[in-house]
Amino acid sequence: MNVYEVKKDYMEKQAAYRRKAFKKQKLRQLFFEFTLNCNEHCWHCGSRCGDVHPVNEMTADEWKAVLDHVKENFGEKLPQINVTGGEPLLYPHFEEVMSYAHALGFKWGMTSNAILITKDVAEMLKRCGMGTISVSIDGLRDTHDRLRGLTGAYDRAMAGIQNLIDLKFARHIMITTVVNHETIQELEPLYKIMCDIDIDSWRVIGVEPLGRALQYPEKLMTPDDQKTLMDFIRSKRAEDMPVTYGCSHYLGLDYEMEVRDWYFFCMAGVSIASITSTGDVTACLDIARTPSVIQGNIRERSFADIWNNEFKAFRYDKAEDDTTCKDCKSREFCMGGSCHTWDFEEKKQRLCLLNELNTAMV
Ligand SMILES: C[S@@+](CC[C@H](N)C(=O)[O-])C[C@H]1O[C@@H](n2cnc3c(N)ncnc32)[C@H](O)[C@@H]1O
Ligand code: SF4
Ligand code: SF4
Ligand code: SF4
């Protein structure tokens, strides 16, 4: 078999597995959006942090009750908890909730802009048993500060990463870079910087057309940018560097398994669920919160009830509903694509990355 045939063979098996998973969901990753408060104001923020005014956010007791409930109902194999925001470290009860999660035996990780990770905060994260972290670095020093609306953000984030590295407790420290049409040319100089830091991986993704990023169409990724990004990641991986793309989008036979260690499979609502800062239950926090996306609220119903009885909008082959996807040769491997670019009201895919990669000129 040639490499394409091997890939196809694997993806056919995975498609069969996915169809079974739609009927028999297993919770593996549970995201907690602790707060929508933020200490940066990124141009691209999918959650529009800084423009929204958080009210009625969950208390420490409410999060602890969720943890007790999940332990009781999903105790056979506890899901990993992933804490995010907004900036999760701004949540005033962070330590109380995460030390509680640790005591209950949950493995957990977080995403952070890291500007608050002083030596003391790194010690606190160690005490609470944090296993993994993704820290955002979106460009070279001046670019990062400009894109994130905070002078000094880059230096503080880099110091935060070093404070974590020094304590040697995290299983995996990742830096995530979100590139855009203007910053894609910074990939090579950024790569040199990443090689000098003792991190476990560098994840590079293109900005997604979500939230505040939609206000700046000129900065969104063009098809050529998307292809440049894929070729960049593939070439660095060939040099054995731990550079990776994220979980988004079916990429076609040329790039699947070349830019990340797994084949595309959007698990939102199938093995991934999220609870927002006000207790809404949804699949993945990157999905815009339109009415049909919210499956219930844990202040009204238990999480297990919602997980077991709702989520029908996520547990089927979405390609059935979109006329372009329906006739697509890759539909079995893609199944309508990523949920975060799926229009749940119109039942249409807003971004087919495979199509973009196929139309790129570079
Ligand atoms: C919403 S933030 C929350 C955690 C933290 N405040 C941070 O910035 O890392 C989580 C990740 O989503 C990324 N993100 C936000 N908006 C995005 C968009 N429109 N496209 C791609 N990634 C985005 C951020 O850059 C960050 O890496
Ligand atoms: S991407 Fe993160 S740091 Fe930036 S505004 Fe959004 S939540 Fe805040
Ligand atoms: S919705 Fe998007 S970000 Fe969320 S799991 Fe699916 S592909 Fe990944
Ligand atoms: S047309 Fe639809 S099913 Fe085909 S690759 Fe694009 S998003 Fe996926």
Side-chain angles (χ1 to χ4, degrees), residues 56-71:
N56 204 15
E57 295 198 327
M58 299 252 288
T59 63
D61 284 346
E62 285 179 304
W63 284 117
K64 283 155 85 177
V66 170
L67 289 163
D68 286 335
H69 170 82
V70 172
K71 169 118 183 169

Side-chain angles (χ1 to χ4, degrees), residues 146-352:
R146 179 171 46 81
L147 295 177
R148 291 194 155 247
L150 183 72
T151 307
Y154 178 95
D155 287 337
R156 287 171 66 183
M158 285 297 195
I161 293 165
Q162 195 55 50
N163 290 335
L164 293 168
I165 292 170
D166 289 346
L167 290 185
K168 296 186 173 54
F169 67 96
R171 266 198 333 277
H172 196 104
I173 299 177
M174 169 191 270
I175 288 180
T176 295
T177 299
V178 176
V179 285
N180 65 53
H181 178 61
E182 289 167 8
T183 60
I184 191 124
Q185 83 285 354
E186 291 191 0
L187 282 174
E188 284 293 348
L190 264 179
Y191 176 71
K192 290 199 176 69
I193 292 171
M194 297 300 159
C195 288
D196 287 340
I197 317 172
D198 193 11
I199 49 171
D200 298 290
S201 63
W202 182 33
R203 176 171 61 175
V204 193
I205 57 182
V207 65
E208 296 281 335
L210 307 171
R212 209 150 45 217
L214 288 165
Q215 290 166 224
Y216 304 90
E218 72 286 0
K219 284 195 190 179
L220 295 180
M221 299 283 279
T222 64
D224 286 2
D225 296 334
Q226 302 283 17
K227 188 159 187 303
T228 300
L229 176 59
M230 294 304 148
D231 290 340
F232 170 82
I233 298 175
R234 183 165 58 185
S235 70
K236 297 309 177 199
R237 287 168 68 90
E239 292 168 18
D240 235 11
M241 295 307 292
V243 185
T244 182
Y245 188 60
C247 59
S248 305
H249 307 300
Y250 176 65
L251 308 172
L253 291 175
D254 282 343
Y255 293 110
E256 281 296 327
M257 258 330 236
E258 309 285 326
V259 296
R260 57 189 168 204
D261 295 334
W262 65 92
Y263 290 98
F264 172 70
F265 190 165
C266 175
M267 298 298 276
V270 180
S271 66
I272 297 175
S274 304
I275 302 175
T276 73
S277 61
T278 52
D280 281 340
V281 177
T282 181
C284 171
L285 292 167
D286 286 354
I287 304 170
R289 293 161 206 183
T290 55
S292 52
V293 165
I294 303 302
Q295 303 299 300
N297 188 289
I298 55 139
R299 286 167 166 161
E300 291 154 14
R301 288 170 70 187
S302 79
F303 174 78
D305 175 20
I306 300 169
W307 176 252
N308 292 328
N309 298 307
E310 305 298 338
F311 282 96
K312 292 177 186 65
F314 301 92
R315 294 177 188 157
Y316 79 111
D317 178 358
K318 301 189 299 303
E320 283 165 21
D321 281 338
D322 178 304
T323 42
T324 311
C325 297
K326 212 173 192 162
D327 296 331
C328 165
K329 282 193 209 126
S330 304
R331 67 167 280 186
E332 190 62 4
F333 307 144
C334 175
M335 293 194 183
S338 292
C339 285
H340 69 268
T341 46
W342 179 255
D343 183 331
F344 279 86
E345 308 308 313
E346 299 292 323
K347 296 195 186 330
K348 281 171 84 69
Q349 183 50 255
R350 292 189 292 114
L351 175 60
C352 173

Side-chain angles (χ1 to χ4, degrees), residues 12-68:
E12 273 157 19
K13 290 190 181 108
Q14 182 174 275
Y17 169 79
R18 184 164 7 176
R19 288 186 188 283
K20 278 193 206 137
F22 287 151
K23 294 195 189 110
K24 211 166 181 282
Q25 70 284 350
K26 288 201 174 84
L27 184 67
R28 297 284 182 240
Q29 307 269 340
L30 180 56
F31 286 77
F32 286 3
E33 178 188 71
F34 264 171
T35 180
L36 283 178
N37 273 319
C38 199
N39 41 16
E40 293 186 346
H41 192 272
C42 306
W43 77 276
H44 67 296
C45 185
S47 322
R48 296 181 191 272
C49 288
D51 297 339
V52 290
H53 299 287
V55 281
N56 204 15
E57 295 198 327
M58 299 252 288
T59 63
D61 284 346
E62 285 179 304
W63 284 117
K64 283 155 85 177
V66 170
L67 289 163
D68 286 335

